[in-house]
Amino acid sequence: MRQVIGAATETLVAAGVASPRVDAELLLAHVLAVPRSRLLLIDDVAAEQAVRHAALVARRAAREPLQHLTGLAHFRTVELAVGPGVFVPRPETELLAGWAVDAALLVTDRQPVVVDLCTGSGAIAKAVAAEVPEARVVAVELDPQAAGWATRNLSGTGVDLRVGDMASAADDLAGEVDVVVCNPPYIPWEAWESVALEARDHDPDLALYSGDDGLDAMRVLERTAARLLRRGGVVGAEHAEVQHEAAPEVFRSAGRWLAVRDHPDLTGRARFLTARLG
């Protein structure tokens, strides 16, 4: 087994994969249908399994997302089916989801209402529904293919999935929402070449790019959140590190938000903003 993982790791290192050893082990665990933590208990890998593993490693070396190869993404306490046509949820977005969970838990005098805009795979909505089961959770996704993945992931969770534009898909909830959360597209078109190959070649453009400055969707979100939230309700949205001033300014300049602030991820990089409707 060590030889199999070692050879795979070398292949992934040469290909520039960010976490070669981890990916090699996760792919082998997938082939063997065991948790990664149990690999140390396995001495030998059958020839057929080694061939399957090598094929997956070659695809990963070509920068196909790990989650597409395993068909699964882990996000906080939930698992998500992912593949071509849907944005693969990133670990850093778990902090935004955690903020939404905490904000929903602060609503104790009624059923909290949470709307997840640009839900993609349904990651944030599913996490909130799992961790705040008393909440009413609504998820919105524009892309039909991504919505298909969200339908699969949100089945049985009680989340109300709406397929449509975030600007209008939840108009029936105007003034009734406690928490709006969103991981919108935020990459400027001109930054295309700097995007990691896994995202650039495999994530949907609709989930990545948002106008010349990357903030077109953020501006729509600001207006939508203002319409959906109760007075005193809160909004949280992810953004790029370089937008740590520009993204919050979208909300500050609107003149209707209080306590606009930015939050770092676990590496200290600016990651998401929050604001309260005045």
Side-chain angles (χ1 to χ4, degrees), residues 215-249:
L215 294 173
D216 283 1
M218 192 70 72
R219 296 182 183 97
V220 175
L221 170 63
E222 186 277 323
R223 296 190 295 271
T224 300
R227 185 174 66 256
L228 293 180
L229 289 171
R230 297 173 181 266
R231 191 174 299 275
V234 292
V235 58
E238 187 168 317
H239 59 72
E241 180 182 4
V242 297
Q243 295 166 337
H244 66 282
E245 294 181 353
E249 182 59 24

Side-chain angles (χ1 to χ4, degrees), residues 102-124:
D102 291 342
L105 289 172
L106 291 175
V107 180
T108 57
D109 59 338
R110 60 181 179 274
Q111 181 185 35
V113 180
V114 180
V115 175
D116 174 23
L117 301 173
C118 305
T119 194
S121 65
I124 295 177

Side-chain angles (χ1 to χ4, degrees), residues 86-110:
V86 70
F87 181 82
V88 175
R90 273 46 170 188
E92 54 265 29
T93 306
E94 294 183 9
L95 293 177
L96 174 62
W99 168 85
V101 166
D102 291 342
L105 289 172
L106 291 175
V107 180
T108 57
D109 59 338
R110 60 181 179 274

